Amino acid sequence: WYQRRVRMGDFEPNEELSAVIQRMWTEDDNRAIVGQDLIINMGKRTFTRDQTADRSSEPLIEYANEELFERESYKRFYDLLDNYESAVGVEEVMTHQEIIEMKKFVDVVVKSTPMKIAQEYLVEKDWAPADQEEFKDWLWDVWFTLYKRGRRRGRTGGDSSGFEHVFVGEIRNGAVIGFHNWIQFYRLEKEGKVDYRGFIGGKRTQDSEFMITIQFSWDEDTEDKDDGALKYVGGTMLGTSPEFEMAMYTLAWVYGKENDVVNIPIAIEDQEFYLIAHVFKGKYLGTCFTSRTPQVDRKR
């Protein structure tokens, strides 16, 4: 994706979607409590133009309550994070076991309160099926359908999906793309594969913010001397449950697709931000993430 910042101007939240997402947030009793279940060390500020310096020597996530990952949705989500090839252009081959894991995750998410609220809204708009089993199939198509993100010609199968891009992350031409989930960040940081380099923008405090913008590197081969691929600017929410994020991003992508918009201004919990939703090749979930500033999409 090619993006640049644009002037924020007068922030006018989408009241309809904000109300739905606020309800999802309020009724989700499965999220981690930042400051208790999740302790964040913001470290020092860095800049998008600075691509070499590591300004934060300590990990971003100082502590995470491991009991979170015994909860069913977290556990099922965690199971999916090692199912993908990080390099764009490398065909994804789903094993029988991996497909079972994905289906179990969808089963859990569909039963969750945030996704039930999202489905209710989508059904009202006639954008998704009301039948539970049909909705599962629809949700699978949105998030787990494989497609080609790489530009290699030939008969290579799908190398990407909405789930992989948004929640797991990918590497293309030495840069990290996607990767907008705190659980995946914690997992890889703990394994020594992710190196937090600092936060972007004004000073953020974990007690008052649930969304941060950061810079980090990702190196799957911890034995080599390479610093890995760099995520110049990455937005992620903190402490959100897997079901809340999937429900919110599902709403954003469908709403953006139906209304031909990329930036959706949202206001919840006294926070103002944009839900960014890209449609890839006219029909796939290309990416969804949160941002303090709207984005200009120069290549869709």
Side-chain angles (χ1 to χ4, degrees), residues 15 88 124 202 212 267 296:
E15 294 184 2
V88 170
E124 286 178 358
I212 55 176
V296 168

Side-chain angles (χ1 to χ4, degrees), residues 2-8 45-48 199-202 204 213-214 232-234 291-296 298:
Y2 293 83
Q3 301 166 349
R4 63 180 175 86
R5 291 186 177 182
V6 297
R7 291 183 179 179
M8 192 173 239
R45 182 181 181 183
T46 191
F47 304 90
T48 56
F199 65 89
I200 306 289
R204 303 295 184 190
T213 305
I214 59 176
Y232 302 98
V233 182
S291 175
R292 293 290 177 187
T293 56
Q295 308 288 315
V296 168
R298 297 172 57 192

Side-chain angles (χ1 to χ4, degrees), residues 80-129:
L80 306 186
L81 298 179
D82 62 355
N83 288 353
Y84 296 91
E85 296 287 343
S86 59
V88 170
V90 177
E91 181 178 358
E92 297 289 353
V93 179
M94 296 289 104
T95 67
H96 178 67
Q97 179 59 37
E98 288 170 347
I99 291 172
I100 290 175
E101 291 172 355
M102 292 152 70
K103 289 183 175 180
K104 286 182 177 179
F105 175 67
V106 171
D107 286 344
V108 171
V109 167
V110 166
K111 295 175 184 177
S112 72
T113 298
M115 189 58 83
K116 285 181 178 179
I117 295 171
Q119 183 185 11
E120 178 184 301
Y121 173 81
L122 292 168
V123 169
E124 286 178 358
K125 294 291 186 179
D126 200 26
W127 290 343

Side-chain angles (χ1 to χ4, degrees), residues 106 110 115-142 250-251 253-254 258:
V106 171
V110 166
M115 189 58 83
K116 285 181 178 179
I117 295 171
Q119 183 185 11
E120 178 184 301
Y121 173 81
L122 292 168
V123 169
E124 286 178 358
K125 294 291 186 179
D126 200 26
W127 290 343
D131 179 80
Q132 189 85 333
E133 292 304 314
E134 290 181 9
F135 184 70
K136 285 181 186 180
D137 292 340
W138 179 87
L139 201 64
W140 176 283
D141 289 341
V142 171
T250 299
L251 283 179
W253 182 76
V254 177
E258 293 293 335

Side-chain angles (χ1 to χ4, degrees), residues 53-89:
D54 184 348
R55 297 180 181 272
S56 295
S57 58
E58 299 298 321
L60 170 66
I61 301 179
E62 189 174 294
Y63 164 80
N65 180 2
E66 292 282 342
E67 292 182 2
L68 289 169
F69 307 117
E70 295 303 314
R71 299 178 184 178
E72 190 171 16
S73 67
Y74 287 79
K75 187 175 181 179
R76 298 303 182 193
F77 179 81
Y78 213 97
D79 286 343
L80 306 186
L81 298 179
D82 62 355
N83 288 353
Y84 296 91
E85 296 287 343
S86 59
V88 170

